[in-house]
């Protein structure tokens, strides 16, 4: 059924098995961990020093290949990870921060069973420099002629884990009780950490250099940190003085300099400037105690404070307020005679003109009035007043008593600030026989106003009267914001212009007169109705439909909403060719188009247009015969083998996603290229029979060059043509391989970590007494045990590597070391399980030389998901001195579910008892020509369903 790529070996076969497995997950680390420990229950803790690189890898199994997601319970995985996730196997955080600690979760799901989730808590360790602060208390003892002065030195450092403190005076270590004049204690809210040094009734010898040393006991290699404080008879808290006035009133554009000087304090205080505006202006310049604000603006006005600190007593703080002079927002309004129920101005009655501005500082504001350009003074008939600032700040009034014809004219209100430098604001108000209150109307045909979504519309209210007031627009039908996001918008001409109108803007809009720049009378208002039409909203907007030839295809386009809701017609098109059109059925909200038997001409893009007065909504269907992508099978750990010294092979495994959705897959196009190169090599793998869902296909890649990695692309082919491709990376993992049919070789030259990292997919058992060690004869020290252990690896090379147990001290008789493999999946040929268990041959080479040899065990564990069962004893075991040579052992096994292998070595009675293993193999089929063994018994079994 399959051919091999670059076929160089005598026989390559393609195996079909039905296999779908739910996900499993395991977290390993490869960053700069200080420690990884298993706490009680299931929590794992990863300790790392701040600034190091965190790298966690999520190892998953399962088929189809599970989707992986990293999430975090608190803080953020990275600066942009607060509300999102990382969707790849490896989580990498360079220069980790203390705020990035927390519990990280790896979640894997592939739609089979429940998602697999594992977590690990990341604990970031750090230690900041300690800070010493000094506080003094001076109390007078009654009826005595002396003062008692007590000094407290407090030391604080931010850290994780909790810090421990120690105190020195000069070179003398201070402890509780070592000096009657010294007390060392913790306040009640910091129990367990020595922080405070109390010097009672200061003595001459108390004036000295004090050192506070903060320590986290060298965890993660974090060194101790210390700080020195010199206590003298001149030690004092800071005091400062500002050489400026308060407040400082300036004009915009001026340069302002604030000078702060220290008047006391030992050690010399450090001066800083802060602002009430959260931060200092960007253009500000701080030099020593001087803060300079060039070309100041109104936005930079506020309170500026100089702060002095020397860690003695409380910091000293002095503040001043900068006021930037300004005049803005000049407005006026006319109030008819309040004693008559009439909104019009009439001869013989009173009328009031009010003028308002915003002034900074308000106490500098002055007003003057002009009539027809001439100065106007307050009199019995022309009364000029200024409103109470608490009621209406910045407001002046001109009351005209007993209005006469001679009073008609233009009145001008002039606002200014004392001292000048700021432009005046002048407001003209015309009082005449044509001065009348406003009126609002909506032009004919402007309400209701019908527009289409996306148009620019103008809502209009005609305003009459003199003077014309400002018009305020708001939503009349609901508490909703206006198009600009505010609750109210101003218009000086009565027109509200909305650009790119949307369907949410449909509704009633109220226009209303404002008292500003008009009459202070009851507001006039009108309402404009806006109706926004939009084309039908339909679903699906886009759908891909994959189908084989000769099969029916039904496409349905559904209307969700539209305005006007009366749909006029529909039309179905293939590309630009009209297939079917008609009136839309008012009783239904959908239209269908059916292809009874798909032929080659039926492939393509189908469009359904549902049309109303505002336009058309469009459903798009892409009918195709493209096959779905294959899904690579990752459950077999590193399915590699070594066939020649310079090349390696790889068993590619995959299943086909939804193979029956389209025509039968007749072949796969296999592409492969070496990483870093551009050229692809391609060949076709023919498929002779129908592929069933879940069937596992294999293909052997050969002649891959060590140690290069390759990008592999697999594309299914049907009568339609090429389907969707899937790409994976084949990585050479050193001369350490395993697959069914092939071998694990522990004699490679890769460097492995023994705490959590897989050693050729094996891990050290955390419940044994000590670990297996990866070594070579060239680097092994036999100074103390010259009569034990191998002189080379299984091939005889002194440079080759093997695994062995070192029995020298501190090891003692009976100590055990175990290597545990991952679970190897046994894929059933039918979904109901395995009726005829397959046979596997597990083999390895061992070297047992030395008079103190104990036992070595090769163990097979089978594990049930609902519990654990253990067989009666070992399948194979051996003890005693076997000579200075490598020997081979083989065991046939018949697993009925996923299984794992355990290698166990036991230390004998003396130091001359090193045991080594090499060239581990796991092959399909019964063991052929098994070597003779003195004892043939062994294994514990765990099965995993």
């Amino acid at each position: 059924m399959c051919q091999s790529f670059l076929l160089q070996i005598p026989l390559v076969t393609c195996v079909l098995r039905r296999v779908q497995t739910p996900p499993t997950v395991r977290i390993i680390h490869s960053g700069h961990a200080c420690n990884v420990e298993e706490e009680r229950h299931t929590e794992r803790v990863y300790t790392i020093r701040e600034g190091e690189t965190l790298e966690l890898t999520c190892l998953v199994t399962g088929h189809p290949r599970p989707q992986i997601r990293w999430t975090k319970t608190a803080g953020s995985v990275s600066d942009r990870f607060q509300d999102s996730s990382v969707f790849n196997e490896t989580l990498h955080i360079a220069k980790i921060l203390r705020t990035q600690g927390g519990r990280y979760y790896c979640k894997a799901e592939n739609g089979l069973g429940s998602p697999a989730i594992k977590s690990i808590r990341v604990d970031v360790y750090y230690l900041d420099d300690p800070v010493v602060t000094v506080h003094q208390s001076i109390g007078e003892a009654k009826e005595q002629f002396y003062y008692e002065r007590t000094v407290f030195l407090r030391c604080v450092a931010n850290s994780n884990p909790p810090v421990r403190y120690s105190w020195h005076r000069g070179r003398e270590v201070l402890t509780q009780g070592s000096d009657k004049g010294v007390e060392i204690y913790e306040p009640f809210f910091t129990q367990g950490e020595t922080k405070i040094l109390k010097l009672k009734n200061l003595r001459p010898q108390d004036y000295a250099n004090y050192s506070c040393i903060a320590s986290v006991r060298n965890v993660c290699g974090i060194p101790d940190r210390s700080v020195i404080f010199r206590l003298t008879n001149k030690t004092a808290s800071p005091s400062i003085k500002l050489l400026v006035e308060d407040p400082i009133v300036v004009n915009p554009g001026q340069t302002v300099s604030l000078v702060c000087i220290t008047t006391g304090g030992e050690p010399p205080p450090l001066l800083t400037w802060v602002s009430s505006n959260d931060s200092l202006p960007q253009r500000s310049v701080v030099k020593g105690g001087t803060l300079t604000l060039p070309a100041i603006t109104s936005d930079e006005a506020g309170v500026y404070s100089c702060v002095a600190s020397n860690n003695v007593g409380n910091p000293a703080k002095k503040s001043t307020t900068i006021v930037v002079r300004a005049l803005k927002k000049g407005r006026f309004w006319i109030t008819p005679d309040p004693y008559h129920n009439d909104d019009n101005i009439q001869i013989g009655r009173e009328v009031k003109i009010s003028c308002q501005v915003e002034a900074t500082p308000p106490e500098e504001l002055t007003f003057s009035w002009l009539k027809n350009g001439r100065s106007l003074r307050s009199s019995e008939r022309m009364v000029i007043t200024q409103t109470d600032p608490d009621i209406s700040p910045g407001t002046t009034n001109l009351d005209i008593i007993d209005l006469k014809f001679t009073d008609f004219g233009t009145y001008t209100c002039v606002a200014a600030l004392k001292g000048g430098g700021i432009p005046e604001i002048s407001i003209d108000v015309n009082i005449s026989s044509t001065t009348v209150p406003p009126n609002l109307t909506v032009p004919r045909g402007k309400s209701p106003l019908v527009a289409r979504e996306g148009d620019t519309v103008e809502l209009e209210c005609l305003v009459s009267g003199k003077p014309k007031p400002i018009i305020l627009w708001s939503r009349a039908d609901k508490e909703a914001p206006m198009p600009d996001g505010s609750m109210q918008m101003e218009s000086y001409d009565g027109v509200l212009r909305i650009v790119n109108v949307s369907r949410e803007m449909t509704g009633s809009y109220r226009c209303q007169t404002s008292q500003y720049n008009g009459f202070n009378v009851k507001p006039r208002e009108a309402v404009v109705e806006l109706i926004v039409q939009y084309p039908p909203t339909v679903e699906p907007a886009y759908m891909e439909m994959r189908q084989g030839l000769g099969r029916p295809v039904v496409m349905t386009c559904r209307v969700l909403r539209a305005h006007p809701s009366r749909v006029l017609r529909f039309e179905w098109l293939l590309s630009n060719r009209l297939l079917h059109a008609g009136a839309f059925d008012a009783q239904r909200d959908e239209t269908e188009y059916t292809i009874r038997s798909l032929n080659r001409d039926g492939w393509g893009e189908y469009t359904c247009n549902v049309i109303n007065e505002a336009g058309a909504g469009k459903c798009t269907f892409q009918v195709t015969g493209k096959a779905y992508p294959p899904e690579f099978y990752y459950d077999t750990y590193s399915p590699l083998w070594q066939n020649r010294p310079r090349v390696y092979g790889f068993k590619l495994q995959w299943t086909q996603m939804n193979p029956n959705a389209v025509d039968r897959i007749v072949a796969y196009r296999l592409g492969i290229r070496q990483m870093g190169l551009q050229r692809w090599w391609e060949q076709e793998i023919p498929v002779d029979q129908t592929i069933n869902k879940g069937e596992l296909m294999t293909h052997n890649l050969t002649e891959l060059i060590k140690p290069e990695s390759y990008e592999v692309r697999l594309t299914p082919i049907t009568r339609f043509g090429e389907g969707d491709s899937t790409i994976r990376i084949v990585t050479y993992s050193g001369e350490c391989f395993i697959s069914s049919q092939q071998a694990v070789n522990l004699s490679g030259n890769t460097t492995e970590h023994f705490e959590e990292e897989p050693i050729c997919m094996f891990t050290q058992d955390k419940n044994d007494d000590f670990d297996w060690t990866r070594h070579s004869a060239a680097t092994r020290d036999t100074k103390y045990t010259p009569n034990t252990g191998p002189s080379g690896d299984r091939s005889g090379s002194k440079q080759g590597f093997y695994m062995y147990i070192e029995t020298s001290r501190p090891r003692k008789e009976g100590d055990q070391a175990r290597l545990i493999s991952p679970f190897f999946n046994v894929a059933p040929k039918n979904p109901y399980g395995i009726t005829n268990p397959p046979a596997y041959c597990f083999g390895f080479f061992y070297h047992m030389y030395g008079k103190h040899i104990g036992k070595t065990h090769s163990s097979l564990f089978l594990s049930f998901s609902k519990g654990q069962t253990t067989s009666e004893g070992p399948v194979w075991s051996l003890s005693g001195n076997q000579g200075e040579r490598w020997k081979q052992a083989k065991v046939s096994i018949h697993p009925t579910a996923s299984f794992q292998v355990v290698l166990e070595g036991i230390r004998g009675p003396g130091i001359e008892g090193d045991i080594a293993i090499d060239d581990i193999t796991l092959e399909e089929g019964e063991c052929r020509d098994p070597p003779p063994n003195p004892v043939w018994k062994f294994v514990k079994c765990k099965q995993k369903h």
Side-chain angles (χ1 to χ4, degrees):
M1 181 173 177
C2 298
Q3 296 178 357
S4 76
F5 175 76
L6 297 177
L7 186 62
Q8 297 288 333
I9 59 180
L11 178 64
V12 178
T13 61
C14 183
V15 181
L16 280 178
R17 292 184 293 178
R18 182 180 301 275
V19 52
Q20 284 188 326
T21 55
T24 67
V25 63
R26 182 163 64 98
I27 298 176
I28 66 170
H29 70 85
S30 55
H32 300 152
C34 306
N35 184 36
V36 177
E37 62 184 32
E38 305 286 344
E39 290 192 349
R40 291 184 177 181
H41 309 296
T42 60
E43 183 176 44
R44 299 173 61 221
V45 181
Y46 180 110
T47 304
I48 187 171
R49 182 173 174 175
E50 187 174 45
E52 299 286 3
T53 297
L54 171 70
E55 192 164 286
L56 300 175
T57 300
C58 198
L59 297 183
V60 299
T61 65
H63 191 72
R65 176 67 168 167
Q67 294 288 327
I68 298 172
R69 182 175 66 174
W70 282 99
T71 56
K72 186 171 181 290
T73 54
S76 58
V77 171
S78 68
D79 291 339
R80 298 178 298 276
F81 188 57
Q82 186 76 29
D83 298 313
S84 61
S85 304
V86 175
F87 290 91
N88 51 40
E89 294 182 1
T90 300
L91 174 65
H92 182 93
I93 304 178
K95 297 181 179 179
I96 191 169
L97 303 176
R98 64 192 64 179
T99 56
Q100 292 174 311
R103 181 170 292 136
Y104 290 81
Y105 291 86
C106 176
K107 179 180 181 182
E109 53 186 336
N110 64 355
L112 298 175
S114 300
I117 301 176
K118 289 290 184 182
S119 69
I120 186 169
R121 182 161 61 86
V122 176
D123 206 358
V124 183
Y125 279 6
Y126 58 91
L127 174 61
D128 292 342
D129 289 327
V131 175
V132 170
T133 56
V134 180
H135 300 274
Q136 299 177 356
S137 64
I138 302 176
E140 180 179 357
K142 293 182 178 180
E143 300 178 357
Q144 299 292 332
F145 297 98
Y146 65 90
Y147 290 91
E148 178 182 318
R149 184 166 67 166
T150 299
V151 173
F152 299 89
L153 277 71
R154 180 187 180 95
C155 186
V156 177
N158 296 319
S159 74
N160 183 33
V163 68
R164 291 181 181 174
Y165 300 91
S166 58
W167 286 97
H168 294 70
R169 180 169 54 198
R171 296 184 178 181
E172 176 190 4
V173 178
L174 296 176
T175 58
Q176 183 67 28
S178 63
D179 187 330
K180 291 183 179 180
V182 175
E183 288 185 7
I184 301 175
Y185 68 97
E186 306 84 22
F188 71 91
F189 50 83
T190 58
Q191 287 296 323
E193 299 297 333
T194 302
K195 287 189 176 184
I196 294 180
L197 183 68
K198 179 181 179 181
L199 306 176
K200 301 180 293 184
N201 195 14
L202 283 178
R203 305 161 299 177
Q205 63 265 34
D206 292 330
Y207 296 114
N209 288 336
Y210 290 86
S211 300
C212 173
I213 301 173
S215 174
V216 290
R217 286 75 71 193
N218 201 38
V219 296
C220 282
I222 299 175
D224 295 348
R225 297 180 181 271
S226 63
V227 63
I228 297 176
F229 185 87
R230 181 173 179 79
L231 182 66
T232 71
N233 57 2
K234 296 182 179 179
T235 298
S237 58
S239 59
I240 56 175
K241 182 179 180 181
L242 283 182
L243 303 182
V244 293
E245 297 178 352
D246 184 29
I248 303 173
V249 181
V250 297
N251 289 333
Q254 282 186 249
T255 296
V256 181
S257 292
L258 307 180
V259 180
C260 178
I261 61 172
T262 59
T263 57
E266 177 64 32
L270 175 67
L271 298 179
T272 56
W273 282 94
V274 295
S275 168
S276 60
N277 298 325
D278 295 332
S279 61
L280 295 176
Q282 290 186 349
R283 296 176 294 112
S284 63
V285 178
V286 178
K287 186 175 182 181
T290 302
L291 170 64
T292 302
L293 305 173
I296 195 168
T297 64
S298 297
D299 294 336
E300 295 169 349
V303 178
Y304 289 80
S305 302
C306 175
V307 181
S309 176
N310 65 351
N311 292 339
V312 179
N314 295 320
K317 182 178 180 180
K318 296 286 186 180
S319 303
T320 186
T321 302
I322 297 179
V323 178
V324 181
R325 305 165 80 237
L327 282 176
K328 54 187 176 181
K329 287 191 177 178
R331 291 176 169 177
F332 75 92
W333 59 92
I334 302 170
T335 305
D337 190 344
Y339 302 105
H340 295 81
N341 189 18
D342 195 340
D343 292 343
N344 293 295
I345 296 175
Q346 296 185 24
I347 298 296
R349 293 185 179 176
E350 179 182 342
V351 62
K352 179 192 290 186
I353 306 172
S354 300
C355 174
Q356 185 183 66
V357 297
E358 293 183 9
T360 305
E363 61 270 15
E364 289 193 9
L365 176 62
T366 62
F367 286 107
S368 60
W369 286 89
L370 305 176
K371 178 185 178 183
N372 297 329
R374 294 184 178 183
S375 179
L376 186 64
R377 295 180 178 274
S378 184
S379 63
E380 290 184 358
R381 279 203 330 108
M382 299 284 184
V383 181
I384 299 174
T385 59
Q386 194 153 334
T387 305
D388 186 341
D390 294 334
I391 299 175
S392 181
T395 305
T396 182
N397 304 298
L398 172 60
D399 279 290
I400 305 175
I401 310 299
D402 189 15
L403 183 67
K404 302 181 182 300
F405 284 108
T406 56
D407 295 329
F408 289 162
T410 300
Y411 292 83
T412 304
C413 165
V414 181
L417 294 180
K418 297 176 183 177
I422 301 298
E424 299 176 339
I425 292 181
S426 297
I427 303 171
D428 292 334
V429 182
N430 186 265
I431 300 295
S432 68
S433 58
T434 60
T435 302
V436 293
N439 190 31
L440 276 182
T441 58
V442 178
R444 180 174 297 178
K446 292 292 187 178
S447 182
L449 183 63
V450 180
R452 293 190 176 179
E453 196 167 37
D455 289 350
T456 296
V457 298
E458 290 186 346
L459 308 186
E460 185 176 357
C461 280
L462 293 178
V463 55
S464 60
K466 185 179 180 182
K468 289 185 178 181
I470 298 172
I471 303 301
L472 304 178
W473 285 92
S474 60
R475 298 292 293 264
D477 55 340
K478 52 188 172 181
E479 288 291 329
M482 296 293 287
D484 68 348
S486 65
M487 298 305 295
Q488 196 175 70
M489 296 175 64
E490 291 186 355
S491 169
Y492 287 86
D493 59 0
V495 175
L496 174 63
R497 193 167 188 265
I498 304 176
V499 178
N500 192 22
V501 68
S502 64
R503 63 192 68 179
E504 293 81 11
M505 297 177 187
T506 295
S508 301
Y509 289 78
R510 178 188 294 111
C511 58
Q512 187 178 58
T513 60
S514 166
Q515 71 171 18
Y516 299 117
N517 295 3
F519 274 71
N520 183 20
V521 295
K522 182 180 179 180
R524 275 60 168 167
E525 63 179 46
V527 174
V528 178
E529 294 288 338
L530 174 63
I531 299 173
V532 180
Q533 295 183 342
Y534 51 90
T537 301
V538 296
E539 67 173 9
Y542 177 84
M543 176 182 287
E544 184 182 64
M545 305 186 74
R546 304 195 186 207
Q547 190 59 279
L549 294 175
R551 303 178 188 176
V553 179
V554 179
M555 292 165 278
T556 303
C557 185
R558 181 174 295 105
V559 178
L560 301 178
R561 53 190 172 273
H563 191 84
S565 57
R566 184 170 58 90
V567 177
L568 300 180
R569 66 185 191 278
F570 66 86
E571 57 185 21
W572 286 90
L573 301 95
L574 173 57
S575 297
N576 292 321
R577 178 167 59 90
L578 182 64
L579 301 174
H580 180 51
F584 203 88
D585 186 351
Q587 303 300 318
R588 302 182 60 192
D589 59 356
E590 62 185 28
T591 176
E592 287 185 355
Y593 184 77
T594 301
I595 304 172
R596 295 182 179 178
S597 179
L598 182 65
N599 56 33
R600 292 181 179 273
D601 294 334
W603 284 323
E605 184 176 276
Y606 290 77
T607 302
C608 174
N609 293 322
V610 182
I611 306 164
N612 69 356
E613 297 174 9
K618 181 167 68 174
C619 294
T620 301
F621 301 87
Q622 185 69 44
V623 178
T624 176
K626 286 177 61 175
Y628 285 98
E631 296 176 311
F632 284 116
Y633 187 65
Y634 286 80
D635 270 8
T636 299
Y637 285 78
S638 299
L640 305 164
W641 70 92
Q642 177 183 8
N643 54 7
R644 290 212 300 273
R646 296 184 179 180
V647 298
Y648 68 98
F650 185 89
K651 178 187 281 189
L652 199 66
Q653 298 177 298
W654 73 92
T655 58
Q656 178 60 44
M657 180 190 295
N658 299 331
N660 301 319
V662 295
D663 293 322
R664 187 179 74 83
I665 294 171
V666 297
Y668 284 94
R669 177 164 289 114
L670 175 68
I672 185 169
R673 69 174 177 183
Q674 186 176 319
M675 297 296 290
L677 302 182
Q678 298 296 320
R679 184 177 181 183
W680 285 87
W681 296 89
E682 291 190 338
Q683 74 166 108
E684 282 195 4
I685 305 173
V687 179
D688 299 329
Q689 56 188 353
T690 300
I691 300 173
N692 294 319
K693 185 174 183 179
E695 288 185 346
L696 183 67
M697 288 160 282
T698 66
H699 178 82
N700 289 341
L701 304 177
T702 63
E703 300 298 311
L704 305 178
I705 300 171
K706 299 179 183 178
E708 303 296 336
S709 298
Y710 291 85
E711 186 175 7
V712 178
R713 181 177 63 206
L714 196 61
T715 308
I717 301 173
T718 63
R719 287 188 291 177
F720 173 84
E722 291 190 355
D724 292 335
S725 300
T726 297
I727 292 178
R728 70 161 295 172
I729 304 298
V730 173
T731 302
Y732 178 70
S733 56
E735 295 183 5
C736 175
F737 313 115
I738 191 163
S739 78
S740 53
Q741 297 186 5
Q742 306 304 334
V744 171
N745 185 339
L746 290 172
S747 59
N749 54 7
T750 58
T751 301
E752 297 288 348
H753 300 284
F754 303 125
E755 180 181 338
E756 282 277 322
E757 307 301 319
I759 309 163
C760 298
M761 288 71 62
F762 282 76
T763 57
Q764 304 281 5
D765 189 351
K766 292 185 175 295
N767 298 315
D768 58 6
D769 302 309
F770 66 110
D771 286 342
W772 287 82
T773 305
R774 182 178 176 274
H775 228 308
S776 70
T779 58
R780 183 155 180 257
D781 186 1
T782 58
K783 179 179 179 180
Y784 299 105
T785 54
N787 300 316
T788 183
S791 58
D793 71 353
R794 204 272 301 181
S795 67
S797 170
K798 291 186 178 295
Q799 306 300 321
F801 285 81
Y802 51 84
M803 301 297 292
Y804 83 106
I805 58 170
E806 173 61 68
T807 58
S808 302
R809 284 189 296 269
R811 302 277 66 84
K812 60 183 181 294
E813 184 175 2
D815 281 358
Q816 300 175 351
R818 286 187 290 270
L819 283 177
I820 303 177
S821 80
F823 278 100
F824 297 103
N825 287 282
V826 180
K829 299 180 183 298
N830 63 73
Y832 303 104
I834 298 176
T835 55
N836 297 313
Y840 290 87
C841 180
F842 177 71
F844 66 99
F845 282 82
Y846 60 89
H847 188 284
M848 301 170 62
Y849 173 54
K851 63 182 180 180
H852 299 144
I853 289 294
K855 295 182 179 181
T856 183
H857 292 277
S858 175
S859 303
L860 177 65
F861 278 85
L862 302 167
S863 157
F864 291 98
S865 60
K866 294 184 178 179
Q868 296 183 352
T869 61
T870 303
S871 67
E872 295 180 355
V875 170
W876 182 95
S877 66
L878 186 64
S879 62
N881 189 341
Q882 303 299 316
E884 191 179 0
R885 63 185 179 277
W886 289 93
K887 295 184 178 181
Q888 189 179 29
K890 289 185 177 181
V891 181
S892 291
I893 57 177
H894 304 84
T896 58
S898 300
F899 64 94
Q900 61 183 155
V901 176
V902 176
L903 289 162
E904 180 180 46
I906 302 178
R907 199 259 199 194
I911 63 173
E912 295 184 14
D914 294 352
I915 298 174
I917 56 175
D918 200 358
D919 285 2
I920 298 175
T921 60
L922 180 64
E923 300 177 340
E924 286 185 335
E926 297 282 353
C927 293
R928 291 173 299 211
D929 302 322
N933 290 288
V935 181
W936 188 260
K937 28 179 196 170
F938 197 64
V939 162
K940 306 174 183 176
C941 293
K942 283 196 212 169
Q943 288 196 7
K944 179 180 177 182
H945 291 298

